[in-house]
Amino acid sequence: MSTSVLTEVSGDVTTVTINRPESLNALNQETFQAIGAAVAEAAANSRALVLTGSDRAFSSGADLRGEAATDASIDLAGANDIIRSIIDAPIPTLAAVSGPAAGIGCSLALACDYVVMSEDSYLMLPFTKIGLMPDGGATALVAASAGRHRALRMALTAEKLHAADAYAWGLASEVVSSGEQLNRAKELAAQFAQGAPQALAASKQAINESSLTSLDDAFDREIDGQAGLRASRDFSEGVAAFVGKRAPKFTGE
């Protein structure tokens, strides 16, 4: 049993916690697989799901240190299946976000039906800083809620989008006081768990199918694009600069 993901069941609500606080809950293959198993279990046996991160972060994204920086660190197709499973789950899913929800961690949060952010948290697509493009469906998930130009701003600038702006852009459902995001998400989840399950499932399916019509195409484009970028010298330089805590020197190779 993986300790990188913790599961708690309270009544009809399952809370799944990404538990790698030493890396701000960075994601590797083992962690993604554990999230997928927990989501599948909750979808089958609970009536609402809360996804959160331990300590100071939701997730800082893919783990870029040591072996995790290799091409095999995360099976992107498999990760996309897990993100898709959150979207397609027949139960309401809620993200409780503290600190960063960055990279593919941002995709995990935005895959949820309801996003509760603490006032000091932020969303971020930092991919271009290491010579990559957004993945995990982010190119569709952000654009579907925030629009094309805001999605491009997040992707091209790789800036932090703080909670208040995320709410204004339509990427967060609520912003709450620091430290209250999990309590609020659990409170909402308990309310949803008392609702009419078939009506809730049909509602989320209809809205997701209307607003995320290009998600599978986005997954495919991201996989193809990322494969080429991961083979580039710029990606190697970007990771080395990140690990070395210095500015990268990109050459376009």
Side-chain angles (χ1 to χ4, degrees):
M1 182 70 68
S2 172
T3 59
S4 65
V5 172
L6 305 177
T7 302
E8 174 192 16
V9 179
S10 178
D12 290 320
V13 175
T14 293
T15 300
V16 176
T17 303
I18 306 167
N19 185 46
R20 301 187 72 216
E22 72 286 352
S23 62
L24 293 178
N25 300 319
L27 297 161
N28 56 23
Q29 184 67 12
E30 176 192 8
T31 305
F32 247 114
Q33 289 176 337
I35 292 170
V39 169
E41 179 72 17
N45 297 298
S46 292
R47 290 177 63 173
L49 166 69
V50 175
L51 180 62
T52 193
S54 63
D55 200 25
R56 299 174 292 124
F58 181 82
S59 171
S60 58
D63 193 336
L64 294 177
R65 298 184 181 276
E67 294 180 1
T70 68
D71 287 345
S73 61
I74 290 180
D75 169 21
L76 189 51
N80 290 343
D81 287 343
I82 292 165
I83 289 168
R84 169 58 86 178
S85 76
I86 295 172
I87 295 168
D88 290 347
I91 60 175
T93 58
L94 303 92
V97 180
S98 63
I104 202 166
C106 181
S107 297
L108 273 178
L110 297 182
C112 293
D113 305 314
Y114 204 102
V115 180
V116 181
M117 296 183 68
S118 71
E119 60 188 359
D120 57 352
S121 66
Y122 60 88
L123 306 177
M124 187 179 185
L125 299 179
F127 297 89
T128 55
K129 288 188 173 182
I130 57 168
L132 294 179
M133 63 179 287
D135 59 25
T139 56
L141 291 166
V142 175
S145 294
R148 173 175 171 259
H149 283 105
R150 284 171 169 169
L152 281 166
R153 175 174 168 176
M154 287 185 69
L156 298 179
T157 67
E159 66 187 357
K160 296 177 182 178
L161 185 69
H162 293 281
D165 291 326
Y167 178 74
W169 286 17
L171 294 171
S173 309
E174 290 187 22
V175 177
V176 298
S177 300
S178 178
E180 290 301 313
Q181 70 283 344
L182 183 55
N183 289 337
R184 177 57 177 158
K186 286 183 175 181
E187 177 186 10
L188 287 163
Q191 293 176 18
F192 293 149
Q194 297 303 308
Q198 293 182 18
L200 292 172
S203 297
K204 64 172 285 184
Q205 180 181 7
I207 291 170
N208 284 333
E209 289 185 358
S210 295
S211 59
L212 294 174
T213 55
S214 64
L215 181 60
D216 290 332
D217 289 338
F219 283 148
D220 291 340
R221 284 191 294 268
E222 291 167 358
I223 287 174
D224 290 343
Q226 220 61 313
L229 292 170
R230 280 183 169 272
S232 70
R233 292 183 181 179
D234 275 352
F235 172 61
S236 298
E237 165 62 12
V239 172
F242 172 82
V243 174
K245 297 182 179 180
R246 60 173 175 81
K249 296 180 180 179
F250 294 131
T251 63
E253 298 179 27

